[in-house]
Amino acid sequence: MTGHIIGTLADIPLGEGRTFVVDNRQIAVYHLRDGTLRALDAVCPHRGGPLADGLIDSATVVCPLHGRTYDLATGAESTGGAPVRSHTATVDSDGAVRVILG
């Protein structure tokens, strides 16, 4: 499988996000409560907020600085503001987390 191995699933607590550097880009990877992974650019385009530190649910992340909300699947901002790029994150059979930049 192609992509960049960024660590293991154990590096990302359930229900939280973590930032990783992939090809000199900051990528936020989220471990959702259902066990799936999502990945977005890690910097909010509004004011540079750290999206990995935002509150997440099954579908969105809220920027901790100014409350902008982004769709975890598409990167779209809920009020039509500037989006963030979404990426593919998967877990290999050995627990390695792999990101494919979108």
Side-chain angles (χ1 to χ4, degrees):
M1 178 181 275
T2 61
H4 304 271
I5 294 176
I6 58 165
T8 68
L9 191 57
D11 296 331
I12 311 167
L14 192 63
E16 295 185 20
R18 292 291 184 267
T19 300
F20 299 90
V21 176
V22 180
D23 275 353
N24 296 314
R25 295 172 61 180
Q26 292 185 41
I27 306 298
V29 179
Y30 304 92
H31 188 182
L32 303 184
R33 295 214 177 268
D34 67 2
T36 63
L37 297 175
R38 298 287 185 276
L40 300 174
D41 283 347
V43 179
C44 178
H46 173 239
R47 285 278 181 110
L51 291 179
D53 295 342
L55 295 175
I56 63 171
D57 61 19
S58 63
T60 61
V61 60
V62 178
C63 178
L65 292 186
H66 297 101
R68 300 282 172 112
T69 302
Y70 297 90
D71 185 290
L72 288 170
T74 67
E77 200 274 326
S78 65
T79 63
V84 292
R85 186 174 297 256
S86 63
H87 310 282
T88 301
T90 60
V91 180
D92 292 348
S93 61
D94 64 357
V97 175
R98 194 177 292 267
V99 172
I100 301 169
L101 297 178

